[in-house]
Amino acid sequence: GLVGQASGGSVKYSYAAVTVTGSGTKAAFANKSGAAMVSDCFFVKQALGASDASGATGYDALMFKTVLGANSLNAGRADGVWTQKADANSGYPSFGVAVLVTGWQQVGAAQTEDHLRNTAKAADGTPALSGTGADADNALTIATPEALAWLMWRGFSDGYTYVELTADIDLLGARYGGGSFYNGRTTPLPWGDESGFRPPDFIGSFEGGGHAIKNVYTEPVEGEVGFLFGYVRSVPDFGLPTRVGGFSVEGELHASRAQSVGDIVGHAFGIPECPVEIHDIESRLEIEAREGPNQVGGLVGVIENWAKIERCGVSGGLTVSEGGATYVGGIVGLADFSQNDVAIEDCYVTSAFAFG
């Protein structure tokens, strides 16, 4: 690896991408003994053929050749020296102006499914990602913010997908430069990048298992938008309701030029025998909607046609500015009760509304 034998001193902000073969003791990064300290160091798994107990972290080669590799080596340092260029150093991190991660969108796009399933772990040691999502007994389980970002920016197929959270998800993103203190407040890593984003549509079951999603900071643009989903709907092909719920969320959502805005879902639309059910969500997201959205809701922008919200509460503030909105509500902006079987039951709102 990088060091044959480390018996004292320290090794920081370094990596090894080497192939280790032959007999004898082999280490991917360093053979360590005594008081040697290894921190913020990495080794590339696919290039190895050796284990490593030095304290360095194993990385998927494809991921390490992205902005995430250089960002991890810089470790939040303002004077970091690592950058990443496809045409330099075989794509591995090289020296230059420190590279910055602008949002979870970059983090999600850089993940590989193999890394999430086989290397990345949650705090309790469970895999970051498991399951296929094909049925309730084999749900796609999400245990880290990286896995959630990968799923949301990969998007969903046209099929019915089962998703479960198996751990709390903290989107502060300190590892990627989030958590800076600015203007008297701590700013998480944005959920989308600096250009804004469009959340995915969803058909299936997304169950939170009572877990919390914390430190959300998101700026969706245009269309039907929420923190997690744009359009949530049911289709007759699967004969199943689409369900989203069982979690809490806190942070901020700043939407612009959107048609419908909600904390979690922009627009929910069901069909007979296959309703959309939004359930058991506590939202403490602060919403700001600007540039003329038509509907703004503390939880869902619009519900219509065989859609139900139950056992949900909203306590985040709601601000509508720069163009106003046609319909604004603490739980839902527009609930079209004139259409088929639309219901809201056992819900509360304790938000402060502001209009400018």
Side-chain angles (χ1 to χ4, degrees), residues 39-321:
S39 61
D40 296 299
C41 292
F42 304 88
F43 62 91
V44 177
K45 289 174 52 185
Q46 283 95 324
L48 299 186
S51 60
D52 195 274
S54 67
T57 301
Y59 233 116
D60 178 279
L62 292 177
M63 283 180 57
F64 207 62
K65 291 183 178 184
T66 70
V67 66
L68 298 191
N71 185 83
S72 296
L73 288 161
N74 287 324
R77 297 174 294 157
D79 59 349
V81 300
W82 294 100
T83 190
Q84 188 276 333
K85 297 179 180 178
D87 59 354
N89 202 23
S90 301
Y92 286 113
S94 55
F95 300 125
V97 178
V99 70
L100 297 175
V101 175
T102 58
W104 282 105
Q105 185 167 354
Q106 274 183 294
V107 176
Q111 303 299 310
T112 65
E113 186 171 352
D114 178 74
H115 174 78
L116 292 172
R117 290 185 181 277
N118 299 310
T119 302
K121 307 290 184 184
D124 64 358
T126 58
L129 176 73
S130 63
T132 66
D135 54 60
D137 294 329
N138 196 19
L140 199 60
T141 63
I142 303 295
T144 67
E146 289 83 1
L148 183 64
W150 170 83
L151 177 65
M152 290 301 164
W153 272 278
R154 183 200 68 166
F156 299 90
S157 68
D158 292 332
Y160 190 99
T161 305
Y162 291 85
V163 182
E164 292 181 8
L165 298 183
T166 56
D168 291 346
I169 303 295
D170 190 341
L171 297 177
L172 182 65
R175 175 180 177 184
Y176 307 109
S180 59
F181 193 76
Y182 180 72
N183 281 348
R185 56 188 287 249
T186 299
T187 304
L189 186 70
W191 183 233
D193 65 19
E194 58 192 5
S195 64
F197 75 101
R198 170 74 166 84
D201 297 337
F202 183 66
I203 302 169
S205 171
F206 187 100
E207 293 296 333
H211 292 291
I213 304 175
K214 302 178 288 187
N215 287 310
V216 173
Y217 187 90
T218 183
E219 297 181 301
V221 297
E222 301 180 347
E224 318 285 341
V225 299
F227 155 53
L228 283 178
F229 303 116
Y231 211 103
V232 169
R233 60 193 178 93
S234 296
V235 295
D237 305 38
F238 310 114
L240 296 167
T242 284
R243 291 172 54 84
V244 176
F247 58 90
S248 63
V249 59
E250 61 90 3
E252 299 178 35
L253 184 150
H254 302 268
S256 58
R257 305 187 308 278
Q259 177 72 16
S260 302
V261 179
D263 277 7
I264 310 300
V265 174
H267 195 135
F269 187 100
I271 60 172
E273 309 303 325
C274 303
V276 168
E277 300 171 0
I278 312 294
H279 69 95
D280 300 288
I281 296 175
E282 290 189 42
S283 176
R284 294 179 289 278
L285 277 182
E286 301 284 332
I287 287 185
E288 179 195 20
R290 53 185 183 266
E291 297 182 60
N294 287 346
Q295 296 86 214
V296 180
L299 199 69
V300 182
V302 177
I303 61 169
E304 58 179 327
N305 270 13
W306 291 279
K308 184 177 184 179
I309 301 175
E310 58 184 340
R311 300 183 302 277
C312 291
V314 174
S315 56
L318 197 158
T319 301
V320 179
S321 59

